[in-house]
Amino acid sequence: MGEINIRRAAVEDAAKIVEFYNYVGGETSYLSFEKDEYPMNVKEQEEEIRSLEGNATNIMLLAMDGEEIAGIATIHSSHKIKARHDGELGIVVAKKYQNQGIGSELIRQLIEWAKGNGVTTRISLDTRADNVMAVSLYMKFGFQIEGCRKNSTLLNGIYYDLYVMGMMIH
Ligand SMILES: CC(C)(COP(=O)(O)OP(=O)(O)OC[C@H]1O[C@@H](n2cnc3c(N)ncnc32)[C@H](O)[C@@H]1OP(=O)(O)O)[C@@H](O)C(=O)NCCC(=O)NCCS
């Protein structure tokens, strides 16, 4: 592995991003989508990235190993006045890049960005309760388990609980 460089997504990254999400969707069962189930095509992804330019409360960070995406982390916020302070965090690091601190660095940079954007005061996320690695990683950064959506995921005939996690940022 070369040095990992974390930067914002650019429109030219759209095809790689869609390919990455469709690939990791099959690599882990912890994401909300399965292999090839990522809901955006390249055109839609390009639009999405364009919409991030100059957007105070939405961001997509890529962890790059040279030209290869190692991980992606996002914060999405509603445009609605009453909800825009609350950003929803999403993160995935490809299996071969896990446990090398990339996820931690992505979250650290997202929190840093959120603290500086002048709007976000809270970060939320949902994660499967049995995703021990993710839950402990989030708790390391100060997220708390605020609730549990019982049986919210159904996979191969087995129900899984989702934790609703969140934290205020200052
Ligand atoms: C969760 C995820 C983003 C973490 O990324 P990562 O780059 O591997 O994270 P890091 O290397 O920064 O940190 C991993 C931490 O988990 C710890 N860890 C590893 N295996 C663990 C286990 N079985 N149980 C508990 N902790 C574990 C590591 O020790 C490390 O903690 P530390 O910083 O205190 O040493 C990544 O595993 C991932 O993408 N998983 C699949 C998709 C997913 O679950 N996304 C989140 C959906 S909500």
Side-chain angles (χ1 to χ4, degrees):
M1 184 181 84
E3 195 157 312
I4 300 292
N5 165 36
I6 296 181
R7 62 167 174 81
R8 285 185 192 228
V11 174
E12 303 75 52
D13 298 316
K16 261 187 205 168
I17 291 167
V18 171
E19 191 189 356
F20 177 83
Y21 275 132
N22 279 316
Y23 171 74
V24 291
E27 207 182 42
T28 170
S29 69
Y30 292 126
L31 294 175
S32 59
F33 51 87
E34 287 287 293
K35 182 173 171 25
D36 297 329
E37 225 186 22
Y38 181 60
M40 268 185 251
N41 63 31
V42 175
K43 269 237 129 17
E44 290 163 339
Q45 187 68 62
E46 282 175 359
E47 279 310 305
E48 168 79 9
I49 296 168
R50 243 177 234 118
S51 80
L52 296 176
E53 287 163 16
N55 186 322
T57 55
N58 288 262
I59 190 170
M60 175 180 267
L61 292 179
L62 306 182
M64 300 297 299
D65 176 13
E67 291 301 302
E68 186 177 346
I69 298 178
I72 304 182
T74 56
I75 287 186
H76 284 289
S77 310
S78 163
H79 295 301
K80 296 202 177 90
I81 291 169
K82 281 178 274 194
R84 65 183 181 188
H85 68 284
D86 187 3
E88 171 97 17
L89 184 147
I91 185 166
V92 57
V93 174
K95 199 157 250 157
K96 70 171 175 167
Y97 291 104
Q98 287 176 9
N99 271 314
Q100 299 168 33
I102 297 172
S104 297
E105 183 56 22
L106 284 166
I107 294 174
R108 195 191 66 73
Q109 291 199 20
L110 283 182
I111 293 172
E112 201 62 24
W113 167 84
K115 280 181 177 169
N117 73 17
V119 181
T120 306
T121 53
R122 178 190 150 83
I123 303 178
S124 306
L125 59 92
D126 286 356
T127 184
R128 247 171 61 189
D130 61 316
N131 192 353
V132 180
M133 188 157 152
V135 172
S136 56
L137 181 64
Y138 298 139
M139 292 186 89
K140 182 174 87 179
F141 280 95
F143 285 87
Q144 293 183 342
I145 297 168
E146 299 175 331
C148 180
R149 292 164 53 187
K150 294 259 173 214
N151 302 326
S152 190
T153 294
L154 176 57
L155 181 64
N156 301 325
I158 298 170
Y159 289 101
Y160 297 88
D161 295 348
L162 281 188
Y163 282 155
V164 177
M165 299 185 74
M167 70 166 170
M168 296 297 289
I169 54 167
H170 306 285

